[in-house]
Amino acid sequence: MFDKILIANRGEIACRVIKTARRMGIRTVAVHSEADADALHVSMADEAVAIGPAASAESYLVIDRIVEACRKTGAQAVHPGYGFLSENKAFAEALAAEGIAFIGPGPWAIEAMGDKIASKELAAKAGVSTVPGHIGIIQDADEAVRIAEEIGFPVMIKASAGGGGKGMRVAHTVEEAREGFASAVSEAKSSFGDERVFIEKFITEPRHIEIQVLSDGETCLYLGERECSIQRRHQKVIEEAPSPFLTPEVRQKMGEQAVALAKAVDYKSAGTVEFIVDADRNFYFLEMNTRLQVEHPVTEMITGLDLVEWMIRIAAGEKLDLTQDQVSLNGWSIEARIYAEDPFRNFMPSIGRLVRFIPPEEQAGHVRVDTGVEEGGQISMYYDPMVAKLITHAASREMAIAQMRMALDEFYIRGISHNIPFLASVMSKERFVKGHLTTNFIAEEYPDGFHVADLPPDDPTVLVTVAAVVHRMHMDRDAHISGQHPKHEKKTPEDWVVRLGDTNHPVRIRMRDDGAFLIHVDDEDVVMQTAWRFGQPRFFGRLNDAPVCVQIDREGVGYRLFHAGAQARAVVMTATAAGYAALMPKKAPPDLSRFLLSPMPGLLVRVEVEVGQEVKAGERLAVVEAMKMENVLKAERDGTVKSIAREPGASLAVDEVILEFE
């Protein structure tokens, strides 16, 4: 076994590998860019080596610097995590030349499966079902249109070296095929340094289901499947294991084909074979990821296996000590990806400092949090916007969903925008609860984007009750501080009005001898038990014996409450004050329709219009790059460009003016 390994990655996956290595008694080396000097993975590792500037192309993607860090620290092996150099044949070969073990498959398997075109050809030879399409390099937009018309719309344009949803576009028309080809090529070149793209048939009502494989070069196992159909812009958002759609017979067939492909490339390590599955449970090979997947924790939760540990053991020459018959799938596990993005602003990236970061408490076998950040840390514009992965595990899918909804309520993040409200909304959708999933789920359930109205309908009793209890506790404390002890002098009033948003809720609140609160609200009597203390940002309690968690921030004379993805301002006042508050005028927001504002912090790549140019609604105006993704900004109305405020190459803040219309 290795004495010391280097993790050629950052963030949550670097921390994840360090945890397993530490448990195995292996020392670890972290590498970091200038932007990550104070990152969590750096402080967790036994040693750390700086490898360059913030940009990935000058640090995490520079093979020579990783190899030099191994020489400098004496690391005997390298775990690449996912992304960056994890599927880079040249990296594996460079390590081998230095006598350093690569904790992953051999260079040939990486090369064969990393090229989507070559991998489809190999899959077909191995007897694996493949998607109909044009397996060849597309030279230009005209050829892309011609091939798309031959295959039949809709089609998927995909980067050959792609991954993570980058360099992928769906086209339903000739115009979309032209634009999609140009965008896919541009994004593929900037993300992977490889502008080759190909086209295949886009399957309607598809599910994205993948098989986890584990091989020591002799024994090859499949460890069940993961359902990864909840995606946005081809990026997975929620994953689960097993799939609510597969039958045992289909699972076995998919697993056997995945193993056949792994054996065809002499695979050694953990890997994933991805399939697209249609409504009739016909499945087709998509690609093989020759690395650890982001969503690997759900497989670990239902199998009890540590995939990182087995990757390390196999790289060290050990053999698997179990057979396919011994692989059992127990219970249900769900993973939700917490991203630094604003779902109410079309999921635009959010950067900044994590002023507060309090994840749910981990419970062995039930709730797990994989993260690479900590309170006070910085979410940078240079890297992927993932903040954490939240994983739950229970005996049934229904229980795992309930556990996830509670854990999302507990996840307290301040300083940046995040997608927890969106995740809470997805979890509440009847279609999700019933397991009726496709990769079109988000597009179909949120056709006009994500809005406050999409949040799960929440019983206002929860927020009203919490506000009343917290206010009562403050009033009792104030009475003690002023010397007006309720027992001897002034009693705390029992009748109040909780103004939640624009709605008044009369309440009567009393305290029982056992410390529980009796509340009459909206013609209903409820009981709240809690051990909440002043200053705690999360209110844990039992409402009529059902557990609840509400995040609570003091805001002036009121409270900002967060629950089930929604938030509301609550003010507790007398009936007279509540009547006056309802009459207060509201300030109208300023008219910003004449301006094109940057929806996110990022780099202004291109301005595609000139001063004096007339534009039509839907026309491209500018391109902003943030967190490795290009975002095209289009005109929302017809108009004439009056002035251009920023030039290409400028760094933009959120809501910064790019141009103005007359």
Side-chain angles (χ1 to χ4, degrees), residues 382-396:
Y382 297 104
Y383 311 114
D384 186 273
M386 186 188 293
V387 176
K389 299 183 310 196
L390 178 60
I391 306 102
T392 60
H393 178 245
S396 68

Side-chain angles (χ1 to χ4, degrees), residues 34-55:
E34 292 173 359
D36 280 339
D38 298 320
L40 181 60
H41 75 281
V42 174
S43 62
M44 283 182 63
D46 297 297
E47 301 175 56
V49 179
I51 54 172

Side-chain angles (χ1 to χ4, degrees), residues 104-117:
W108 183 71
I110 294 173
E111 180 181 36
M113 293 295 102
D115 187 313
K116 288 184 172 58
I117 295 173

Side-chain angles (χ1 to χ4, degrees), residues 6-10 29 31 60 66 78-81 83-86 91:
L6 180 144
I7 298 97
N9 217 298
R10 64 178 301 280
V29 179
V31 293
Y60 295 106
I66 304 291
V78 171
H79 196 298
F84 293 138
L85 297 170
S86 62
F91 182 47

Side-chain angles (χ1 to χ4, degrees), residues 429-622:
K429 292 285 185 180
E430 182 181 4
R431 182 176 161 188
F432 178 84
V433 172
K434 290 183 175 179
H436 298 162
L437 315 177
T438 73
T439 56
N440 301 321
F441 180 95
I442 290 176
E444 292 170 353
E445 293 292 317
Y446 307 92
D448 301 316
F450 181 68
H451 307 284
V452 172
D454 294 310
L455 290 168
D458 194 26
D459 181 356
T461 302
V462 175
L463 298 185
V464 171
T465 301
V466 170
V469 168
V470 169
H471 187 74
R472 169 64 189 255
M473 294 175 73
H474 274 101
M475 293 295 294
D476 286 344
R477 185 183 66 168
D478 291 347
H480 279 75
I481 292 173
S482 66
Q484 298 175 354
H485 195 287
K487 184 176 180 180
H488 302 292
E489 300 179 27
K490 185 178 178 182
K491 291 187 66 176
T492 303
E494 294 182 349
D495 294 309
W496 298 91
V497 172
V498 177
R499 186 165 177 78
L500 192 67
D502 296 325
T503 308
N504 290 340
H505 299 267
V507 299
R508 171 168 290 179
I509 179 168
R510 293 175 291 124
M511 184 179 286
R512 286 195 322 206
D513 292 340
D514 62 357
F517 293 91
L518 302 176
I519 305 112
H520 182 79
V521 52
D522 295 336
D523 298 323
E524 181 183 0
D525 291 314
V526 298
V527 178
M528 174 68 82
Q529 297 170 294
T530 182
W532 182 80
R533 293 292 178 264
F534 300 107
Q536 292 179 345
R538 299 180 299 186
F539 180 102
F540 290 95
R542 298 192 71 84
L543 182 61
N544 290 341
D545 213 33
V548 296
C549 175
V550 176
Q551 298 180 17
I552 179 165
D553 295 339
R554 195 67 191 258
E555 193 176 77
V557 296
Y559 312 95
R560 177 67 61 177
L561 305 176
F562 302 78
H563 179 65
Q567 60 172 294
R569 187 170 190 269
V571 181
V572 185
M573 57 187 82
T574 64
T576 302
Y580 287 133
L583 301 176
M584 294 294 287
K586 295 183 179 179
K587 183 178 180 181
D591 180 13
L592 300 174
S593 61
R594 293 187 300 110
F595 300 96
L596 174 66
L597 307 178
S598 177
M600 76 208 83
L603 178 70
L604 181 59
V605 179
R606 292 188 300 277
V607 176
E608 302 192 356
V609 293
E610 300 176 349
V611 174
Q613 181 177 334
E614 293 186 0
V615 297
K616 300 294 184 182
E619 192 171 336
R620 293 165 64 105
L621 300 176

Side-chain angles (χ1 to χ4, degrees), residues 158-312:
K158 302 174 73 172
S160 181
K166 298 176 181 62
M168 296 175 63
R169 297 292 187 275
V170 177
H172 295 82
T173 64
V174 168
E175 184 178 336
E176 288 182 1
R178 286 188 182 279
E179 184 172 323
F181 174 80
S183 298
V185 168
S186 174
E187 202 164 272
K189 187 175 182 179
S190 65
S191 296
F192 312 110
D194 184 344
E195 59 186 27
R196 297 176 302 150
V197 300
F198 65 99
I199 299 178
E200 64 187 16
K201 181 69 176 175
F202 182 71
I203 305 229
T204 55
E205 292 191 43
R207 285 177 177 254
H208 186 126
I209 300 178
E210 58 194 31
I211 301 290
Q212 176 72 58
V213 295
L214 186 63
S215 175
D216 60 15
E218 296 176 5
T219 301
C220 186
L221 310 173
Y222 61 92
L223 309 180
E225 79 282 0
R226 295 186 287 260
E227 172 83 57
C228 306
S229 298
I230 306 297
Q231 303 180 7
R232 194 185 67 80
R233 296 174 97 180
H234 310 298
Q235 181 72 53
K236 300 165 188 172
V237 178
I238 294 171
E239 302 98 350
E240 58 184 297
S243 165
F245 187 61
L246 292 193
T247 63
E249 294 75 22
V250 175
R251 176 180 297 119
Q252 181 178 345
K253 290 178 181 177
M254 290 178 69
E256 289 172 350
Q257 287 198 15
V259 167
L261 180 59
K263 289 181 176 179
V265 292
D266 192 26
Y267 200 84
K268 287 179 64 175
S269 194
T272 300
V273 181
E274 301 194 349
F275 293 91
I276 192 165
V277 184
D278 68 17
D280 297 319
R281 294 189 177 87
N282 298 309
F283 57 89
Y284 307 96
F285 170 74
L286 276 178
E287 62 181 331
M288 182 174 187
N289 289 300
T290 56
R291 54 170 168 79
L292 196 65
Q293 290 281 87
V294 176
E295 56 273 20
H296 76 274
V298 293
T299 296
E300 294 184 324
M301 296 294 259
I302 66 168
T303 62
L305 299 172
D306 185 326
L307 294 178
V308 171
E309 177 179 348
W310 273 112
M311 290 180 76
I312 294 172

